[in-house]
Amino acid sequence: MKTKTHKTQTRKPKEIKPIIKILLIISEKKKKMGSSSKNIEQAQDSYLEWMSLQSQRIPELKQLLAQRRSHGDEDNDNKLRKLTGKIIGDFKNYAAKRADLAHRCSSNYYAPTWNSPLENALIWMGGCRPSSFFRLVYALCGSQTEIRVTQFLRNIDGYESSGGGGGASLSDLSAEQLAKINVLHVKIIDEEEKMTKKVSSLQEDAADIPIATVAYEMENVGEPNVVVDQALDKQEEAMARLLVEADNLRVDTLAKILGILSPVQGADFLLAGKKLHLSMHEWGTMRDRRRRDCMVDTEGNAGGEEGK
C-alpha cells in the first residue's frame, strides 16, 4: 500500500503593521524612561550625599588645621594626612557611584538638573576641570603671600610666620614644589585637551549617519525610531566611558597635588576647594532664584499695567 505523504506548508510570518511597530517601540521606550527616571533619582541622591559629606569635612579640616598651627607637632601632621586620605577616598567612592550609574543615564551628568544654571555653564565633562585645581593653588598662594607681607609690614604683635613648622600655608611653597606643580599642570592640560577632542567628536556624530538621515526622511518630526534609539544608546555609552575617564583624571590630579604639598598645605587646599564648590552651588542657586523672582515681578507688573 502506498502511504500518502502530507506536505507541511510553512507559513510565512505576517509582517507586523507599521502602527504595531510604533506601539512596540513606544512601549519599550516607556520601560526605558521608567528605568531612566529611577537612575536619575539615584544620581541626584548620590550627589546630595556627596555635597553633605563635603560640608561635614569642612569643620574637621578647620579643627585639625587650628590644632596644627597652635601646637605644630608631628602627631597633628599624621592626623592631617589621615584626614586628607579619607577625603581622597570620599572622592573615589563618589566617582565609583557615578561610574555605576553613568552607563544608564550618562547625558544627565553632562547637564545635571540638580545643578544651578551657573554651574552647568561652567561644567566640563560632568564636573570641574582638573586644571582648575592648579588655579586654586596659585590663587591661594598669591593671596596668602599678600596677607603675610601686609602683616609683616604692619608688624602685628604675636604673628607667627609658620605656625610651628615649615609649610604651614600655601604661601610657603618651595621652588621645588612650584616646579613639580607646574610640570603636573602642563601634563593635565594635555590630558584635558585629548578628552575635549573626544567629546567634540561625539557631539559631531549627532549630525551624521544614521541620525541625520533618519530625521530628514521622517514624515513626522521626532517620531520613535529603532535605528535612532540604537545610535543614541551607543552615544550614551561612549559618553559614560568619557565621564568615568574624566572622573579618574580629577581624582588622580587631586591625589598628585596633595602628594606635592605638605600636610598643612594639602589640608588648606582641600578646605578652600570644598568651600569654593559649596559656595558656587549656593551662589548659583541664589542667582537663579533672583532671576526667576524678577521675571515673576515683571510679568505681574505687566499684567497690572494692562488692567488699567
Side-chain angles (χ1 to χ4, degrees):
M1 291 180 65
K2 291 182 180 179
T3 56
K4 292 182 180 179
T5 56
H6 296 280
K7 291 181 181 179
T8 56
Q9 293 181 342
T10 55
R11 292 184 179 179
K12 291 181 180 179
K14 292 181 179 178
E15 290 186 6
I16 300 174
K17 293 179 180 179
I19 187 65
I20 298 176
K21 278 185 180 179
I22 292 171
L23 289 172
L24 288 170
I25 293 168
I26 292 171
S27 175
E28 188 64 29
K29 206 165 186 178
K30 281 182 178 178
K31 285 181 185 177
K32 284 184 180 179
M33 284 174 68
S35 175
S36 177
S37 177
K38 187 179 178 182
N39 294 329
I40 294 165
E41 285 178 14
Q42 289 176 329
Q44 184 167 351
D45 289 343
S46 174
Y47 167 78
L48 293 173
E49 285 174 15
W50 165 240
M51 293 293 275
S52 175
L53 185 57
Q54 290 202 86
S55 297
Q56 291 171 33
R57 294 299 188 200
I58 287 176
E60 293 177 45
L61 284 164
K62 282 182 175 178
Q63 184 181 358
L64 284 182
L65 280 168
Q67 289 175 2
R68 170 62 177 78
R69 284 170 176 148
S70 298
H71 306 295
D73 55 25
E74 193 176 329
D75 184 51
N76 281 314
D77 274 354
N78 291 331
K79 286 178 182 177
L80 282 171
R81 285 191 189 95
K82 190 175 180 181
L83 181 56
T84 54
K86 276 185 181 178
I87 289 170
I88 290 292
D90 295 340
F91 201 179
K92 285 181 180 177
N93 291 336
Y94 179 56
K97 287 179 183 177
R98 279 161 59 103
D100 183 50
L101 293 167
H103 70 279
R104 289 171 277 177
C105 58
S106 64
S107 56
N108 293 89
Y109 279 110
Y110 284 79
T113 53
W114 49 85
N115 272 0
S116 65
L118 175 64
E119 290 172 289
N120 281 342
L122 301 173
I123 208 168
W124 177 83
M125 305 286 285
C128 65
R129 281 183 175 272
S131 57
S132 66
F133 298 155
F134 298 93
R135 297 293 290 270
L136 181 59
V137 170
Y138 300 144
L140 290 171
C141 180
S143 65
Q144 289 181 1
T145 300
E146 187 178 346
I147 290 168
R148 292 183 65 170
V149 168
T150 303
Q151 288 175 321
F152 175 76
L153 292 172
R154 289 178 180 175
N155 196 20
I156 294 176
D157 293 334
Y159 172 67
E160 295 179 8
S161 62
S162 61
S169 77
L170 286 164
S171 62
D172 293 316
L173 282 171
S174 66
E176 185 183 358
Q177 284 177 311
L178 282 169
K180 287 180 179 178
I181 287 171
N182 184 58
V183 169
L184 183 60
H185 191 184
V186 172
K187 183 182 176 183
I188 296 305
I189 287 174
D190 286 341
E191 292 296 321
E192 284 181 355
E193 286 178 356
K194 288 175 188 175
M195 294 184 66
T196 299
K197 285 177 182 176
K198 289 179 185 177
V199 79
S200 296
S201 179
L202 278 175
Q203 290 168 342
E204 289 165 7
D205 287 346
D208 206 344
I209 296 171
I211 299 173
T213 51
V214 171
Y216 178 73
E217 292 167 1
M218 275 183 176
E219 186 67 30
N220 300 313
V221 174
E223 66 185 29
N225 186 279
V226 176
V227 175
V228 171
D229 272 343
Q230 289 172 346
L232 291 177
D233 284 344
K234 284 182 181 178
Q235 271 213 316
E236 290 251 26
E237 288 168 12
M239 288 166 67
R241 288 193 295 271
L242 277 175
L243 179 70
V244 173
E245 194 178 330
D247 277 350
N248 288 340
L249 185 62
R250 282 185 270 265
V251 173
D252 188 52
T253 303
L254 189 61
K256 284 179 177 175
I257 289 175
L258 291 175
I260 296 170
L261 303 177
S262 72
V264 178
Q265 290 168 343
D268 215 20
F269 165 68
L270 287 174
L271 177 61
K274 291 188 178 300
K275 290 177 79 172
L276 176 61
H277 185 192
L278 292 166
S279 296
M280 285 298 290
H281 181 70
E282 292 303 320
W283 291 333
T285 303
M286 284 191 292
R287 288 172 69 85
D288 189 42
R289 191 183 299 121
R290 284 204 303 264
R291 193 176 291 115
R292 282 188 277 110
D293 290 344
C294 183
M295 287 172 66
V296 170
D297 290 342
T298 304
E299 288 172 3
N301 290 335
E305 290 294 330
E306 287 174 7
K308 286 181 181 179

